[in-house]
PDB file of all heavy atoms in Angstrom:
ATOM      1  N   TYR A 169       0.803  -1.224   0.000  1.00  0.00           N
ATOM      2  CA  TYR A 169       0.000   0.000   0.000  1.00  0.00           C
ATOM      3  C   TYR A 169       0.838   1.277   0.000  1.00  0.00           C
ATOM      4  O   TYR A 169       0.323   2.358   0.263  1.00  0.00           O
ATOM      5  CB  TYR A 169      -0.943  -0.005   1.208  1.00  0.00           C
ATOM      6  CG  TYR A 169      -1.901  -1.171   1.175  1.00  0.00           C
ATOM      7  CD1 TYR A 169      -1.730  -2.259   2.024  1.00  0.00           C
ATOM      8  CD2 TYR A 169      -2.971  -1.189   0.281  1.00  0.00           C
ATOM      9  CE1 TYR A 169      -2.603  -3.337   1.990  1.00  0.00           C
ATOM     10  CE2 TYR A 169      -3.845  -2.263   0.238  1.00  0.00           C
ATOM     11  CZ  TYR A 169      -3.658  -3.339   1.089  1.00  0.00           C
ATOM     12  OH  TYR A 169      -4.521  -4.403   1.052  1.00  0.00           O
ATOM     13  N   LYS A 170       2.138   1.166  -0.337  1.00  0.00           N
ATOM     14  CA  LYS A 170       3.011   2.340  -0.291  1.00  0.00           C
ATOM     15  C   LYS A 170       2.541   3.458  -1.218  1.00  0.00           C
ATOM     16  O   LYS A 170       2.846   4.622  -0.987  1.00  0.00           O
ATOM     17  CB  LYS A 170       4.459   1.961  -0.593  1.00  0.00           C
ATOM     18  CG  LYS A 170       4.712   1.523  -2.004  1.00  0.00           C
ATOM     19  CD  LYS A 170       6.159   1.149  -2.220  1.00  0.00           C
ATOM     20  CE  LYS A 170       6.364   0.715  -3.659  1.00  0.00           C
ATOM     21  NZ  LYS A 170       7.747   0.304  -3.896  1.00  0.00           N
ATOM     22  N   TRP A 171       1.769   3.136  -2.232  1.00  0.00           N
ATOM     23  CA  TRP A 171       1.220   4.155  -3.137  1.00  0.00           C
ATOM     24  C   TRP A 171       0.362   5.171  -2.381  1.00  0.00           C
ATOM     25  O   TRP A 171       0.252   6.320  -2.801  1.00  0.00           O
ATOM     26  CB  TRP A 171       0.434   3.510  -4.280  1.00  0.00           C
ATOM     27  CG  TRP A 171      -0.674   2.595  -3.831  1.00  0.00           C
ATOM     28  CD1 TRP A 171      -0.570   1.261  -3.544  1.00  0.00           C
ATOM     29  CD2 TRP A 171      -2.036   2.944  -3.602  1.00  0.00           C
ATOM     30  NE1 TRP A 171      -1.789   0.759  -3.150  1.00  0.00           N
ATOM     31  CE2 TRP A 171      -2.712   1.768  -3.182  1.00  0.00           C
ATOM     32  CE3 TRP A 171      -2.762   4.121  -3.718  1.00  0.00           C
ATOM     33  CZ2 TRP A 171      -4.070   1.751  -2.876  1.00  0.00           C
ATOM     34  CZ3 TRP A 171      -4.113   4.115  -3.419  1.00  0.00           C
ATOM     35  CH2 TRP A 171      -4.754   2.929  -3.002  1.00  0.00           C
ATOM     36  N   LEU A 172      -0.218   4.753  -1.247  1.00  0.00           N
ATOM     37  CA  LEU A 172      -1.024   5.674  -0.444  1.00  0.00           C
ATOM     38  C   LEU A 172      -0.193   6.813   0.144  1.00  0.00           C
ATOM     39  O   LEU A 172      -0.725   7.893   0.411  1.00  0.00           O
ATOM     40  CB  LEU A 172      -1.714   4.929   0.699  1.00  0.00           C
ATOM     41  CG  LEU A 172      -2.912   4.059   0.333  1.00  0.00           C
ATOM     42  CD1 LEU A 172      -3.266   3.136   1.484  1.00  0.00           C
ATOM     43  CD2 LEU A 172      -4.096   4.917  -0.067  1.00  0.00           C
ATOM     44  N   ASN A 173       1.101   6.565   0.376  1.00  0.00           N
ATOM     45  CA  ASN A 173       1.975   7.589   0.944  1.00  0.00           C
ATOM     46  C   ASN A 173       2.104   8.814   0.034  1.00  0.00           C
ATOM     47  O   ASN A 173       2.536   9.873   0.498  1.00  0.00           O
ATOM     48  CB  ASN A 173       3.379   7.021   1.197  1.00  0.00           C
ATOM     49  CG  ASN A 173       3.394   5.975   2.280  1.00  0.00           C
ATOM     50  OD1 ASN A 173       2.640   6.045   3.248  1.00  0.00           O
ATOM     51  ND2 ASN A 173       4.238   4.970   2.115  1.00  0.00           N
ATOM     52  N   ASN A 174       1.752   8.669  -1.229  1.00  0.00           N
ATOM     53  CA  ASN A 174       1.983   9.730  -2.211  1.00  0.00           C
ATOM     54  C   ASN A 174       0.721  10.221  -2.892  1.00  0.00           C
ATOM     55  O   ASN A 174       0.787  10.732  -4.016  1.00  0.00           O
ATOM     56  CB  ASN A 174       2.990   9.239  -3.259  1.00  0.00           C
ATOM     57  CG  ASN A 174       4.338   8.969  -2.627  1.00  0.00           C
ATOM     58  OD1 ASN A 174       4.880   9.819  -1.945  1.00  0.00           O
ATOM     59  ND2 ASN A 174       4.855   7.776  -2.837  1.00  0.00           N
ATOM     60  N   ILE A 175      -0.418  10.080  -2.227  1.00  0.00           N
ATOM     61  CA  ILE A 175      -1.648  10.596  -2.814  1.00  0.00           C
ATOM     62  C   ILE A 175      -2.366  11.515  -1.826  1.00  0.00           C
ATOM     63  O   ILE A 175      -2.123  11.477  -0.615  1.00  0.00           O
ATOM     64  CB  ILE A 175      -2.622   9.481  -3.259  1.00  0.00           C
ATOM     65  CG1 ILE A 175      -3.233   8.754  -2.038  1.00  0.00           C
ATOM     66  CG2 ILE A 175      -1.948   8.514  -4.220  1.00  0.00           C
ATOM     67  CD1 ILE A 175      -4.464   7.938  -2.354  1.00  0.00           C
ATOM     68  N   LEU A 176      -3.250  12.302  -2.372  1.00  0.00           N
ATOM     69  CA  LEU A 176      -4.198  13.096  -1.599  1.00  0.00           C
ATOM     70  C   LEU A 176      -5.575  12.561  -1.957  1.00  0.00           C
ATOM     71  O   LEU A 176      -5.856  12.270  -3.120  1.00  0.00           O
ATOM     72  CB  LEU A 176      -4.102  14.577  -1.982  1.00  0.00           C
ATOM     73  CG  LEU A 176      -5.119  15.511  -1.342  1.00  0.00           C
ATOM     74  CD1 LEU A 176      -4.800  15.717   0.134  1.00  0.00           C
ATOM     75  CD2 LEU A 176      -5.152  16.832  -2.073  1.00  0.00           C
ATOM     76  N   ALA A 177      -6.419  12.393  -0.956  1.00  0.00           N
ATOM     77  CA  ALA A 177      -7.797  11.974  -1.205  1.00  0.00           C
ATOM     78  C   ALA A 177      -8.728  13.067  -0.700  1.00  0.00           C
ATOM     79  O   ALA A 177      -8.454  13.714   0.312  1.00  0.00           O
ATOM     80  CB  ALA A 177      -8.093  10.651  -0.510  1.00  0.00           C
ATOM     81  N   ILE A 178      -9.798  13.260  -1.426  1.00  0.00           N
ATOM     82  CA  ILE A 178     -10.837  14.190  -0.998  1.00  0.00           C
ATOM     83  C   ILE A 178     -12.114  13.399  -0.785  1.00  0.00           C
ATOM     84  O   ILE A 178     -12.273  12.305  -1.329  1.00  0.00           O
ATOM     85  CB  ILE A 178     -11.051  15.333  -2.016  1.00  0.00           C
ATOM     86  CG1 ILE A 178     -11.391  14.782  -3.401  1.00  0.00           C
ATOM     87  CG2 ILE A 178      -9.834  16.237  -2.051  1.00  0.00           C
ATOM     88  CD1 ILE A 178     -11.763  15.844  -4.415  1.00  0.00           C
ATOM     89  N   GLY A 179     -12.981  13.930   0.028  1.00  0.00           N
ATOM     90  CA  GLY A 179     -14.192  13.174   0.295  1.00  0.00           C
ATOM     91  C   GLY A 179     -15.379  14.040   0.623  1.00  0.00           C
ATOM     92  O   GLY A 179     -15.249  15.210   0.987  1.00  0.00           O
ATOM     93  N   THR A 180     -16.524  13.431   0.468  1.00  0.00           N
ATOM     94  CA  THR A 180     -17.779  14.029   0.896  1.00  0.00           C
ATOM     95  C   THR A 180     -18.269  13.231   2.092  1.00  0.00           C
ATOM     96  O   THR A 180     -18.074  12.021   2.166  1.00  0.00           O
ATOM     97  CB  THR A 180     -18.831  14.002  -0.227  1.00  0.00           C
ATOM     98  OG1 THR A 180     -19.082  12.642  -0.592  1.00  0.00           O
ATOM     99  CG2 THR A 180     -18.361  14.781  -1.437  1.00  0.00           C
ATOM    100  N   GLY A 181     -18.868  13.922   3.034  1.00  0.00           N
ATOM    101  CA  GLY A 181     -19.317  13.260   4.250  1.00  0.00           C
ATOM    102  C   GLY A 181     -20.781  13.469   4.520  1.00  0.00           C
ATOM    103  O   GLY A 181     -21.417  14.375   3.969  1.00  0.00           O
ATOM    104  N   HIS A 182     -21.293  12.612   5.365  1.00  0.00           N
ATOM    105  CA  HIS A 182     -22.659  12.743   5.859  1.00  0.00           C
ATOM    106  C   HIS A 182     -22.672  12.268   7.305  1.00  0.00           C
ATOM    107  O   HIS A 182     -22.070  11.248   7.635  1.00  0.00           O
ATOM    108  CB  HIS A 182     -23.632  11.920   5.029  1.00  0.00           C
ATOM    109  CG  HIS A 182     -25.048  11.982   5.523  1.00  0.00           C
ATOM    110  ND1 HIS A 182     -25.707  13.181   5.737  1.00  0.00           N
ATOM    111  CD2 HIS A 182     -25.908  11.018   5.864  1.00  0.00           C
ATOM    112  CE1 HIS A 182     -26.928  12.926   6.177  1.00  0.00           C
ATOM    113  NE2 HIS A 182     -27.077  11.619   6.272  1.00  0.00           N
ATOM    114  N   ARG A 183     -23.339  13.003   8.162  1.00  0.00           N
ATOM    115  CA  ARG A 183     -23.391  12.673   9.592  1.00  0.00           C
ATOM    116  C   ARG A 183     -24.702  11.972   9.900  1.00  0.00           C
ATOM    117  O   ARG A 183     -25.751  12.590   9.937  1.00  0.00           O
ATOM    118  CB  ARG A 183     -23.243  13.948  10.430  1.00  0.00           C
ATOM    119  CG  ARG A 183     -23.280  13.734  11.933  1.00  0.00           C
ATOM    120  CD  ARG A 183     -21.983  13.057  12.392  1.00  0.00           C
ATOM    121  NE  ARG A 183     -21.780  13.124  13.810  1.00  0.00           N
ATOM    122  CZ  ARG A 183     -22.231  12.211  14.676  1.00  0.00           C
ATOM    123  NH1 ARG A 183     -22.929  11.205  14.270  1.00  0.00           N
ATOM    124  NH2 ARG A 183     -21.946  12.346  15.952  1.00  0.00           N
ATOM    125  N   PHE A 184     -24.629  10.647  10.053  1.00  0.00           N
ATOM    126  CA  PHE A 184     -25.772   9.868  10.514  1.00  0.00           C
ATOM    127  C   PHE A 184     -25.795   9.911  12.039  1.00  0.00           C
ATOM    128  O   PHE A 184     -24.764  10.190  12.671  1.00  0.00           O
ATOM    129  CB  PHE A 184     -25.657   8.413  10.053  1.00  0.00           C
ATOM    130  CG  PHE A 184     -25.956   8.216   8.593  1.00  0.00           C
ATOM    131  CD1 PHE A 184     -24.932   8.091   7.673  1.00  0.00           C
ATOM    132  CD2 PHE A 184     -27.268   8.155   8.143  1.00  0.00           C
ATOM    133  CE1 PHE A 184     -25.201   7.915   6.326  1.00  0.00           C
ATOM    134  CE2 PHE A 184     -27.547   7.974   6.799  1.00  0.00           C
ATOM    135  CZ  PHE A 184     -26.510   7.848   5.887  1.00  0.00           C
ATOM    136  N   PRO A 185     -26.932   9.610  12.684  1.00  0.00           N
ATOM    137  CA  PRO A 185     -26.980   9.597  14.150  1.00  0.00           C
ATOM    138  C   PRO A 185     -25.911   8.694  14.781  1.00  0.00           C
ATOM    139  O   PRO A 185     -25.348   9.017  15.818  1.00  0.00           O
ATOM    140  CB  PRO A 185     -28.396   9.089  14.451  1.00  0.00           C
ATOM    141  CG  PRO A 185     -29.198   9.557  13.282  1.00  0.00           C
ATOM    142  CD  PRO A 185     -28.264   9.422  12.096  1.00  0.00           C
ATOM    143  N   GLU A 186     -25.577   7.566  14.133  1.00  0.00           N
ATOM    144  CA  GLU A 186     -24.582   6.651  14.704  1.00  0.00           C
ATOM    145  C   GLU A 186     -23.143   7.004  14.351  1.00  0.00           C
ATOM    146  O   GLU A 186     -22.204   6.414  14.874  1.00  0.00           O
ATOM    147  CB  GLU A 186     -24.886   5.206  14.294  1.00  0.00           C
ATOM    148  CG  GLU A 186     -24.879   4.956  12.810  1.00  0.00           C
ATOM    149  CD  GLU A 186     -26.211   5.287  12.115  1.00  0.00           C
ATOM    150  OE1 GLU A 186     -27.145   5.800  12.742  1.00  0.00           O
ATOM    151  OE2 GLU A 186     -26.283   5.031  10.903  1.00  0.00           O
ATOM    152  N   GLY A 187     -22.944   7.967  13.486  1.00  0.00           N
ATOM    153  CA  GLY A 187     -21.596   8.386  13.129  1.00  0.00           C
ATOM    154  C   GLY A 187     -21.516   8.780  11.662  1.00  0.00           C
ATOM    155  O   GLY A 187     -22.459   8.565  10.900  1.00  0.00           O
ATOM    156  N   PRO A 188     -20.381   9.330  11.246  1.00  0.00           N
ATOM    157  CA  PRO A 188     -20.253   9.809   9.873  1.00  0.00           C
ATOM    158  C   PRO A 188     -19.939   8.700   8.872  1.00  0.00           C
ATOM    159  O   PRO A 188     -19.372   7.668   9.213  1.00  0.00           O
ATOM    160  CB  PRO A 188     -19.088  10.805   9.957  1.00  0.00           C
ATOM    161  CG  PRO A 188     -18.259  10.295  11.076  1.00  0.00           C
ATOM    162  CD  PRO A 188     -19.217   9.689  12.054  1.00  0.00           C
ATOM    163  N   VAL A 189     -20.307   8.966   7.631  1.00  0.00           N
ATOM    164  CA  VAL A 189     -19.956   8.129   6.488  1.00  0.00           C
ATOM    165  C   VAL A 189     -19.291   9.042   5.471  1.00  0.00           C
ATOM    166  O   VAL A 189     -19.773  10.147   5.209  1.00  0.00           O
ATOM    167  CB  VAL A 189     -21.201   7.463   5.866  1.00  0.00           C
ATOM    168  CG1 VAL A 189     -20.841   6.721   4.580  1.00  0.00           C
ATOM    169  CG2 VAL A 189     -21.857   6.526   6.854  1.00  0.00           C
ATOM    170  N   TYR A 190     -18.162   8.585   4.921  1.00  0.00           N
ATOM    171  CA  TYR A 190     -17.419   9.360   3.936  1.00  0.00           C
ATOM    172  C   TYR A 190     -17.243   8.555   2.661  1.00  0.00           C
ATOM    173  O   TYR A 190     -16.954   7.364   2.715  1.00  0.00           O
ATOM    174  CB  TYR A 190     -16.016   9.702   4.448  1.00  0.00           C
ATOM    175  CG  TYR A 190     -15.988  10.553   5.679  1.00  0.00           C
ATOM    176  CD1 TYR A 190     -15.792   9.988   6.935  1.00  0.00           C
ATOM    177  CD2 TYR A 190     -16.127  11.934   5.584  1.00  0.00           C
ATOM    178  CE1 TYR A 190     -15.748  10.777   8.071  1.00  0.00           C
ATOM    179  CE2 TYR A 190     -16.078  12.729   6.714  1.00  0.00           C
ATOM    180  CZ  TYR A 190     -15.891  12.141   7.954  1.00  0.00           C
ATOM    181  OH  TYR A 190     -15.844  12.938   9.065  1.00  0.00           O
ATOM    182  N   SER A 191     -17.379   9.213   1.524  1.00  0.00           N
ATOM    183  CA  SER A 191     -16.991   8.650   0.241  1.00  0.00           C
ATOM    184  C   SER A 191     -15.693   9.346  -0.144  1.00  0.00           C
ATOM    185  O   SER A 191     -15.692  10.570  -0.321  1.00  0.00           O
ATOM    186  CB  SER A 191     -18.067   8.907  -0.808  1.00  0.00           C
ATOM    187  OG  SER A 191     -19.257   8.225  -0.488  1.00  0.00           O
ATOM    188  N   LEU A 192     -14.605   8.567  -0.224  1.00  0.00           N
ATOM    189  CA  LEU A 192     -13.295   9.148  -0.519  1.00  0.00           C
ATOM    190  C   LEU A 192     -12.872   8.843  -1.948  1.00  0.00           C
ATOM    191  O   LEU A 192     -13.136   7.754  -2.465  1.00  0.00           O
ATOM    192  CB  LEU A 192     -12.239   8.624   0.454  1.00  0.00           C
ATOM    193  CG  LEU A 192     -12.271   9.376   1.777  1.00  0.00           C
ATOM    194  CD1 LEU A 192     -13.029   8.601   2.801  1.00  0.00           C
ATOM    195  CD2 LEU A 192     -10.894   9.703   2.214  1.00  0.00           C
ATOM    196  N   PHE A 193     -12.174   9.833  -2.528  1.00  0.00           N
ATOM    197  CA  PHE A 193     -11.721   9.745  -3.909  1.00  0.00           C
ATOM    198  C   PHE A 193     -10.247  10.132  -3.985  1.00  0.00           C
ATOM    199  O   PHE A 193      -9.849  11.162  -3.452  1.00  0.00           O
ATOM    200  CB  PHE A 193     -12.528  10.710  -4.788  1.00  0.00           C
ATOM    201  CG  PHE A 193     -14.010  10.445  -4.749  1.00  0.00           C
ATOM    202  CD1 PHE A 193     -14.793  10.987  -3.749  1.00  0.00           C
ATOM    203  CD2 PHE A 193     -14.593   9.637  -5.702  1.00  0.00           C
ATOM    204  CE1 PHE A 193     -16.165  10.743  -3.699  1.00  0.00           C
ATOM    205  CE2 PHE A 193     -15.958   9.381  -5.667  1.00  0.00           C
ATOM    206  CZ  PHE A 193     -16.746   9.938  -4.662  1.00  0.00           C
ATOM    207  N   GLU A 194      -9.450   9.304  -4.667  1.00  0.00           N
ATOM    208  CA  GLU A 194      -8.058   9.658  -4.911  1.00  0.00           C
ATOM    209  C   GLU A 194      -8.019  10.769  -5.943  1.00  0.00           C
ATOM    210  O   GLU A 194      -8.675  10.701  -6.978  1.00  0.00           O
ATOM    211  CB  GLU A 194      -7.305   8.436  -5.438  1.00  0.00           C
ATOM    212  CG  GLU A 194      -5.882   8.734  -5.823  1.00  0.00           C
ATOM    213  CD  GLU A 194      -5.162   7.551  -6.447  1.00  0.00           C
ATOM    214  OE1 GLU A 194      -5.732   6.449  -6.534  1.00  0.00           O
ATOM    215  OE2 GLU A 194      -3.992   7.750  -6.842  1.00  0.00           O
ATOM    216  N   VAL A 195      -7.249  11.826  -5.643  1.00  0.00           N
ATOM    217  CA  VAL A 195      -7.042  12.883  -6.632  1.00  0.00           C
ATOM    218  C   VAL A 195      -5.922  12.408  -7.558  1.00  0.00           C
ATOM    219  O   VAL A 195      -4.822  12.086  -7.097  1.00  0.00           O
ATOM    220  CB  VAL A 195      -6.669  14.224  -5.946  1.00  0.00           C
ATOM    221  CG1 VAL A 195      -6.390  15.293  -7.013  1.00  0.00           C
ATOM    222  CG2 VAL A 195      -7.791  14.668  -5.014  1.00  0.00           C
TER     223      VAL A 195
END
């Protein structure tokens, strides 16, 4: 997974009562 060391990810979130959910995207 070393490729993760060199990326930025952006995401959209939503706050459900039990906690947040995020959809993440590699830029």
Side-chain angles (χ1 to χ4, degrees):
Y169 299 106
K170 68 181 180 182
W171 56 272
L172 285 166
N173 293 326
N174 296 308
I175 70 164
L176 175 72
I178 57 174
T180 60
H182 178 53
R183 180 72 165 89
F184 285 100
E186 60 276 5
V189 173
Y190 298 99
S191 295
L192 278 99
F193 302 85
E194 175 184 356
V195 177

